[in-house]
Amino acid sequence: MDALGIEEKAVQAQIENGVGRLTLNRPQALNALTTDMCREMAGTLSAWASDDRVRYVVLDHIGRAFCAGGDVRAAARSGRGDGEAAREFFRTEYRLNTLIKRFPKPIIALIDGVTMGGGVGISVHGSHRVSTEDTLFAMPETGIGLFPDVGGGWFLPRMAGETGTWLALTGERLKGADVRAAGLSTHHVATADLPALKAELLAGGDIDNILHRYDRPVGEPSFQEHLEAINRIFGKATLADIAIALKLEDSDWAQHQGEVLATRSPFSMSVTLRHLREGRRLQTFEEVMEMEFRIASRICQSHDFLEGVRAVLEDKDHSPQWLPQSIGCVSAHSVEALFQPLSRELYD
Ligand code: QUE
């Protein structure tokens, strides 16, 4: 509620100076996306696609986080029952991701702050993403028994070498200029310059000219020294091969990566590797999203997802008891089952 007792909307939409502005406004939950927020954004963008008053869209946020993901607590609550509300959430969110991917006008997401999971899905598929020193990017889903969805099956295997596989399996966070160096943002600006940049964008200028003037060069990424190992190790055929190669590698970095993998859901990591390899092969974004909806529709009722949300977001003991406990015990059949066609597919 604001001072007048008017309910504040979790997504604000306005048109001014030929610019459509969408503002995420659920700061108390780090702007995590609800079904209603996804529906609201999709409805607004659909209307703006053919509205001559809108030349381009600016996507920004209230509060320190851009968007921490989806409302996975609500999805887990649904998954403990019949999972229907969770499926409705994923359907709405993935259709929004597709709408952004196919949007006929520029969309400029200002991702200065936490940008994880669902927050990546509403930014990375648009035409422009602006990072700052405060940007914190991650696809952390294997840590809660989920998988890197929201089009992760599209953009992660299309990153340089095996960088996307590394980020997806470990959930590693990238900060600031590394986000630009990895190709996840299209422009990188100083945090101190962001208010002036935003004011120019909202005044309806020439976006490429404006962004070019504020763009700051970024050097090599901080993970440059590990790229050879990332490509060699995360390019292996199976998850077991990757885990073994990390153990055998004589470096502190590789030992640490192996320790991180040991905390992630073995089932989620197996699903993720299969999903990224399949996503690399698929020709269209829509095919990838259909695959993701098949997986999400089932994984929302899986043991590891419910346990991961409990351990990380509800009880916060951060000691999930995964089933199975180890990589070697994940059956190929249990992974394969998630990829089978549904009676009602994503775009039906
Ligand atoms: C993995 C995730 C998410 C996560 C933590 C993970 C995720 C997500 C949130 C989140 C954070 C703060 C909130 C909230 C949700 O955390 O997807 O509602 O207030 O949305 O390790 O995938």
Side-chain angles (χ1 to χ4, degrees):
M1 299 263 212
D2 69 7
L4 296 171
I6 297 165
E7 191 80 42
E8 290 236 22
K9 296 188 78 174
V11 178
Q12 298 169 349
Q14 60 189 72
I15 303 174
E16 222 174 304
N17 309 315
V19 183
R21 181 183 186 181
L22 279 175
T23 305
L24 301 171
N25 179 33
R26 197 172 166 246
Q28 70 282 6
L30 306 181
N31 293 323
L33 300 172
T34 63
T35 307
D36 280 349
M37 288 166 73
C38 293
R39 206 174 274 138
E40 180 81 22
M41 278 192 276
T44 302
L45 286 174
S46 296
W48 287 355
S50 56
D51 186 332
D52 290 338
R53 293 173 303 163
V54 175
R55 286 173 32 235
Y56 59 84
V57 174
V58 172
L59 175 55
D60 70 348
H61 61 98
I62 305 276
R64 286 173 57 86
F66 172 71
C67 174
D71 190 353
V72 284
R73 264 173 290 217
R77 230 176 291 131
S78 166
R80 286 185 188 105
D82 67 8
E84 277 306 311
R87 271 170 221 115
E88 185 59 20
F89 168 70
F90 290 120
R91 179 186 298 279
T92 311
E93 185 183 34
Y94 295 176
R95 284 178 170 172
L96 171 63
N97 301 145
T98 309
L99 189 57
I100 291 169
K101 175 74 183 169
R102 299 296 181 201
F103 202 67
K105 301 173 185 182
I107 300 182
I108 305 134
L110 306 178
I111 55 169
D112 61 318
V114 167
T115 304
M116 298 188 185
V120 175
I122 56 169
S123 55
V124 80
H125 307 302
S127 60
H128 299 72
R129 291 86 65 189
V130 179
S131 56
T132 73
E133 298 105 279
D134 290 337
T135 302
L136 191 64
F137 168 101
M139 293 298 281
E141 290 88 352
T142 59
I144 57 165
L146 205 57
F147 70 109
D149 62 343
V150 297
W154 180 263
F155 80 87
L156 290 163
R158 285 166 181 74
M159 292 177 72
E162 297 292 337
T163 316
T165 313
W166 165 56
L167 294 175
L169 291 177
T170 62
E172 180 79 81
R173 296 169 169 204
L174 295 185
K175 293 192 184 100
D178 279 352
V179 176
R180 175 71 193 85
L184 294 162
S185 62
T186 57
H187 297 79
H188 188 70
V189 312
T191 302
D193 285 346
L194 195 66
L197 166 67
K198 196 194 280 199
E200 287 199 42
L201 287 173
L202 294 175
D206 177 90
I207 46 180
D208 290 311
N209 176 286
I210 297 168
L211 290 171
H212 181 71
R213 278 187 288 107
Y214 284 91
D215 196 16
R216 295 283 173 92
V218 298
E220 285 188 347
S222 62
F223 53 86
Q224 178 80 21
E225 57 179 312
H226 307 303
L227 270 181
E228 181 279 323
I230 287 170
N231 295 337
R232 177 168 42 82
I233 296 174
F234 287 90
K236 301 226 174 264
T238 71
L239 185 60
D241 291 340
I242 293 170
I244 291 165
L246 286 170
K247 272 220 164 83
L248 293 177
E249 185 86 356
D250 184 22
S251 83
D252 291 346
W253 177 85
Q255 293 315 306
H256 177 70
Q257 300 304 307
E259 286 161 16
V260 171
L261 285 196
T263 69
R264 305 306 189 214
S265 156
F267 183 67
S268 281
M269 289 189 288
S270 304
V271 171
T272 296
L273 192 60
R274 163 90 161 79
H275 161 237
L276 295 197
R277 296 285 151 80
E278 186 73 13
R280 184 174 274 166
R281 208 179 56 79
L282 292 174
Q283 300 279 326
T284 68
F285 188 78
E286 284 78 1
E287 288 174 279
V288 170
M289 298 317 292
E290 186 161 272
M291 167 174 69
E292 291 191 357
F293 186 64
R294 291 173 179 179
I295 303 168
S297 291
R298 293 164 173 129
I299 213 168
C300 67
Q301 291 180 289
S302 72
H303 172 274
D304 278 8
F305 175 55
L306 305 180
E307 172 63 3
V309 170
R310 180 206 66 73
V312 175
L313 296 170
E314 285 169 353
D315 299 345
K316 302 190 206 290
D317 56 45
H318 295 278
S319 51
Q321 300 301 303
W322 305 125
L323 275 180
Q325 266 189 315
S326 67
I327 288 168
C329 294
V330 177
S331 82
H333 174 263
S334 68
V335 173
E336 214 50 44
L338 268 58
F339 292 77
Q340 298 311 305
L342 297 166
S343 56
R344 186 181 170 216
E345 302 274 14
L346 174 58
Y347 301 103
D348 288 348

